[in-house]
Amino acid sequence: MKKKKINFGLLGLGRVVEKRIVDVFKKELNNSKIISVFDKDKKKNKFYSNLFNCKLNESIEEFLKSDCDYVYIATESGNHYQHIKNCFKFKKNVIVEKPPVLRINQLIELNNISKNNNLEFYVIYQNRLNKSVEFLKKYINRKNSNIVFSTLNLSWSRNQDYYNDWHGNWKMDGGVASQQGIHYIDILCYLFGDPIKCISNITKKSNKLQAEDTHSSLIVFKNNISCTVNLTTALRPQDYEASIKVVMKNEIWSLEGLCCNKLKYINLEKNKKKNKNLCKRNSEEVKNGYGNSHTKSFQIIIDYALKKSDIKPLRSFETISTLKLLNMMYKSYESKRWVYFKEKNFNSKLGR
């Protein structure tokens, strides 16, 4: 009999589940059901078991024995590797929050395990599916040679309380680049392809943490496209923007808003007007920095699994360039030099 619904398990019940995933599964998705949850925090475990009307699991092993088709992993970044591996041992398909893992060799190993066991291994980089980003990706594919340079600015706020648990240390998380900035570093790789080289500086402006709350980089992509990157969580008292600007020879495109959710356009030629309708059609309002596109990400996976659509979900290994660039950025600061994509070993402190 043809399957009509995809059953999900949620592993890790922290910030992203509270702020976004509950609404996604409760209000926005079709043909899906949460049948099992687990978190090491007993209060969260009990609360979300009741919320989704699931049996209370006392251990991760008990959780993994549940009859779910996919496990969605939203645990600490530094625990993704072992949690994904455990899921594969129990023959579970995996969907993991960004970044899939912190170290390049871990992603290669897990990709091989998934392929050898015929298991799906997807990652959530939801902002790739923003209307604004999808439009600009198609436009750049046609006009790549016209790009002069690009900029990425992320100006967000995280108080010290945020960094008093697992956030901000090298083993579990890293800093602003690997936690908040990774979404937009991924968009750069999505728009421009593999990087060639980068050089970076990191510092701490407002918070006490092992890694950084402020990160600046210069990244060079193919066709000699330079991108300046400035990322920070040192603002007070709230998030301001996550924006990417692409400057071309006679026009400027901007992805603006809290999470690159709005499209703006400037034509530099005389007698040319802004195309306000085009920008409006490819922009959307968001409640917070998580944006709206988790729903699209999960629905693509569900529809593909149910054979309702030929659109393929984003496989984790397809984003290896993003993970390599992240490690390049940190390695550059550690070694005080340019780091090149073609180097064989540029693993950084991340995950150690």
Side-chain angles (χ1 to χ4, degrees), residues 266-298:
I266 298 173
N267 195 305
L268 303 175
E269 293 180 310
K270 291 182 179 179
N271 302 319
K272 292 286 185 177
K273 296 181 179 179
K274 297 179 181 179
N275 193 329
K276 291 183 179 179
N277 288 333
L278 184 148
C279 290
K280 187 176 181 179
R281 288 196 308 271
N282 291 286
S283 298
E284 53 197 306
E285 297 296 328
V286 300
K287 292 180 180 179
N288 55 43
Y290 291 110
N292 301 329
S293 297
H294 271 90
T295 304
K296 291 182 185 178
S297 300
F298 280 105

Side-chain angles (χ1 to χ4, degrees), residues 213-241:
D213 71 0
T214 302
H215 195 128
S216 297
S217 289
L218 174 60
I219 304 166
V220 180
F221 292 90
K222 63 182 180 180
N223 296 326
N224 207 24
I225 298 171
S226 295
C227 182
T228 56
V229 174
N230 289 293
L231 315 168
T232 190
T233 54
L235 264 65
R236 298 294 182 266
Q238 63 189 24
D239 294 349
Y240 174 63
E241 70 166 347

